[in-house]
Structures are given as C-alpha cells and as structure tokens.
Amino acid sequence: MDSAGVDKGALASALGAPAPFGQSQFAFMRGNAFEAKVKADGGTELLRLLVERLGGTEPPPGPGAAATPDLSASGPEGRVARTALALREATGSGGWTLLDHPLLALEVAGSPAYLEPDAVVVRPDGRWTVVEIKSFPMIDGSADPSKVGAAARQAAVYVLALERVAARTAGAEVADRVLLVCPKDFSNLPTASVVDVRKQLSVTRRQLARLTRIEDIADTVPEGTTFDLEHCSGDELTAAVDSVPASYAPECLAACELAFHCRARSREADAVEALGRGVRGELGGLTTVASVLAAAHGESGDPRDPTVAALRRAAELRAEALASAAAAPGRTGEGDGRDGPGPAGSLSACEAASTGGTSSSGATTTSTRTRSRAGTGEAAATGHGHGRSASARTES
C-alpha cells in the first residue's frame, strides 16, 4: 500500500461507484485543488477551522506562524523515520506544527503498510490531530453519511498508526476525534466538522488482531517448500501450492492468478465460501453446502436457529412455487432446468443458502424468478461474483 494508492483508493471510496476515467480524473484534480486551497499560507485557514471546531485555550496561529517541516526523504522507510522525528520535535517545541502529507507505517499481519494522511496538526499542548480533506460538499453543515463514514474509517487507520509513534514520544497524545474539511455548500470555500472515530478504532483494532501473520502461515508449510519456478518441477510446484490453505471468494477471480485453483479446492471441500462472502456471512455455522441442504430439508439443524428457520421457509416457498408452476396450464415443470430444476422438494445449493434478505456486502440475494412466483422476498438466494450467478447450475 503506497501513498498514492491510499489517496486514490480513498477518493474512489468517497465518490462511490467507479466513474469514467475522465470524470474520475477531473474529480481527483478538483480534490487536489481544494486541498491546496485549504493548506495555503502555511495552513492558516486549516488551523483556524481546527481551533474553531475542536476548541482549546491556544488561539490559532497567524499566517506563517505554524511550523511546516520538510518531510522528504529517500524511500518509504526514510519518510516514515523523518515523519516520526518531525512529530517528536514538534511535540517538544510547544508550538503549532502542520505536517503536510506525513508518511506513517502500520503493521498488518506482520508486514508494514504505509499510510499518508492529508495532514497532521501538532498543537502546543502535545495533542496530535488527523485532518482529512475531501472534495464532497458539506451542505448546511452536513455531508453524505456514507462518505463521512468512509472518511472516518480511513482516518481511524491513520490514528492507529500515529498511536504507535506517540507511544515512543514523551508528552504526545493522539486525539480520537479527527477534523473533516470539505467545501461549504456549493462553493469552494472550506468548512469543517469534527468526526469521532472511537467506534472505527475499536473495529479496526479487532480486525487487525484477527489477521493471520505471514510467519504463522509459513510455520504451517512443510520444511523445504519452495515456489521457485526455475527450480521446481510441475508436480513439486503443485504440491507446494497445495500445502498452503486456500481461502477462496468469487472476488478473487478478478485479482489472483490462483483463483481457479482455490475455487476447485473450495468446491471439493463443499465449502459455502464458493457462493460468495455475503452468502457465507448469512449462513452462520453452516460451512458446507451439504449441511445447508440438510438444514433446509429438516434433516439436521436446530429449528430455533434463525438461519435454519429461514432455510426451511425458503424450501417451503420454493416447493410451493414449483408446484404452482407445474399445475399451470401448458406447464409441466420440466424442461431445460431454467424454470423448474429438480423435484419440487429439492433445493439448489444457492437457493438453500437464502436467508430471505440481502447479504452483508449489500448485494441482493433474493431470486427474482422465485419471488415473482411466490410473491415474497423470502425466496432463494443467488451468490454474486463478477456478475455470475452462484446457483447450483453454475457451480456444477
């Protein structure tokens, strides 16, 4: 994760769905222009907004009164070290300091991730405040909640990285409230709002703690395993790849060369992850397609479990829909499998995975075809992975 990647990813998240290249490039340029305006004159306007929103006993510094140290250095490690030194010097100076695009490091699963916030302000009392500058408007004092939430999650990661540095700096304290600066109404004038990121901090800490370290994964690999293409035969390379546990999701198809290999292993294990993370999240403790089908057919599972109850309700609705379709004039319920696959009491793997709502990823999981027959939203689910249906027809 490099500095440019962090900023562009955050901008894409703030803008929502991917825009055409020209439009996204224009938004990126507009964001840079607004950020430059906010930081002009040594950050005078930015520091005024910070004091106005966060309060404090110290008045905002005048033009050029705040220190703006040079943070340039060779390589990311050099920039991280230079940022840490500037933070310590600023804390010890007892004055106002504005760090423009400092570079921070955060350990993620045993590897360093480099982060570049828009700015960090060091106040005379030693408090460090993260500043996020966004180009989406703040109209009548409020902005789009989804975009503010994305900015809060992003800023929480910066706060965590700053806490690592503050722990080694005497007199330093990292604020758990960040300053969000946006254009005011429909103008290009900056305004600001304070965002409490304590909730995002706790969530991010928990997520980081649950990540598996690279060293722990390496400990599970047999001694002598290598992935060197030049010194491995095909069988040796296959065995080396098979020695590493696969964690597949349909999204992997867009980013990983081993996605087809991991998908095959996931299917061999009958794992519900092959249907998508959203379906997996809805199924709770049911980890295989066979266990899902058994629960739906009443062969296993606690009927008091909401997931099991929803699966059985979905099975009933599907059976009713197929029976109605078979009884309709000119319909036999048989054919190419599109209108009535299997006997009326059977469920496809994906349809059995339905819980009658939407998945945690936000994708609709209710089958439109079955909903139109049964007239309810508690019908069979379809997984989502790059526009593909995760029905049993596709999985087979």
Side-chain angles (χ1 to χ4, degrees):
M1 184 187 303
D2 56 24
S3 59
V6 170
D7 285 343
K8 292 178 181 177
L11 180 61
S13 174
L15 292 176
F21 175 76
Q23 182 178 348
S24 60
Q25 186 182 37
F26 171 76
F28 185 69
M29 295 173 61
R30 181 184 61 190
N32 284 344
F34 177 69
E35 181 177 334
K37 179 181 180 67
V38 172
K39 295 178 180 177
D41 297 326
T44 303
E45 180 64 13
L46 172 59
L47 297 174
R48 184 192 68 79
L49 289 171
L50 186 141
V51 173
E52 179 182 300
R53 296 293 187 265
L54 289 172
T57 58
E58 311 89 354
T68 54
D70 181 13
L71 303 178
S72 59
S74 177
E77 294 86 357
R79 288 187 60 194
V80 168
R82 181 68 188 91
T83 296
L85 177 61
L87 285 168
R88 287 193 291 269
E89 292 176 344
T91 305
S93 68
W96 288 93
T97 302
L98 173 64
L99 278 68
D100 186 5
H101 283 287
L103 193 65
L104 308 170
L106 181 66
E107 185 176 300
V108 178
S111 298
Y114 298 105
L115 311 167
E116 186 176 358
D118 292 328
V120 173
V121 174
V122 180
R123 303 181 67 149
D125 59 3
R127 278 184 295 169
W128 301 354
T129 303
V130 172
V131 177
E132 272 298 292
I133 303 173
K134 299 297 184 183
S135 60
F136 56 81
M138 194 175 293
I139 301 174
D140 291 335
S142 62
D144 186 333
S146 64
K147 296 179 180 179
V148 174
R153 291 189 295 272
Q154 181 183 354
V157 180
Y158 299 150
V159 171
L160 283 178
L162 276 175
E163 287 179 346
R164 272 56 172 184
V165 184
R168 303 187 298 269
T169 305
E173 178 188 359
V174 183
D176 53 22
R177 296 192 301 166
V178 302
L179 188 71
L180 176 63
V181 182
C182 299
K184 182 178 181 179
D185 298 327
F186 300 100
S187 69
N188 200 36
L189 299 175
T191 187
S193 177
V194 176
V195 180
D196 191 330
V197 296
R198 284 177 294 181
K199 178 180 178 181
Q200 289 80 5
L201 283 171
S202 62
V203 170
T204 306
R205 288 192 184 101
R206 184 170 64 251
Q207 290 174 337
L208 290 175
R210 293 174 59 187
L211 292 177
T212 304
R213 294 173 57 87
I214 295 176
E215 293 83 355
D216 297 335
I217 298 176
D219 290 341
T220 65
V221 177
E223 189 70 26
T225 300
T226 178
F227 301 95
D228 189 344
L229 298 178
E230 296 181 358
H231 300 89
C232 281
S233 65
D235 293 339
E236 291 173 338
L237 189 59
T238 300
V241 173
D242 285 339
S243 67
V244 179
S247 181
Y248 171 76
E251 301 93 280
C252 299
L253 293 170
C256 182
E257 294 84 353
L258 291 175
F260 292 102
H261 168 81
C262 295
R263 182 177 66 177
R265 292 186 61 183
S266 181
R267 288 174 173 175
E268 290 173 3
D270 204 27
V272 296
E273 283 83 359
L275 303 178
R277 289 193 177 99
V279 175
R280 173 67 187 91
E282 297 285 1
L283 291 176
L286 303 175
T287 58
T288 65
V289 174
S291 66
V292 172
L293 292 173
H297 294 150
E299 299 169 1
S300 67
D302 185 353
R304 295 171 298 180
D305 185 338
T307 300
V308 174
L311 287 169
R312 293 180 182 177
R313 178 60 177 159
E316 294 172 1
L317 291 173
R318 183 177 188 273
E320 293 173 5
L322 291 177
S324 299
R331 298 294 299 274
T332 63
E334 299 178 356
D336 62 358
R338 271 191 274 264
D339 292 321
S346 67
L347 285 175
S348 69
C350 186
E351 288 168 328
S354 171
T355 56
T358 55
S359 70
S360 58
S361 62
T364 302
T365 59
T366 305
S367 168
T368 304
R369 186 179 66 253
T370 308
R371 184 174 65 243
S372 65
R373 294 177 186 167
T376 178
E378 294 184 61
T382 54
H384 59 284
H386 311 288
R388 297 183 177 88
S389 170
S391 66
R393 192 169 60 250
T394 303
E395 289 301 308
S396 62

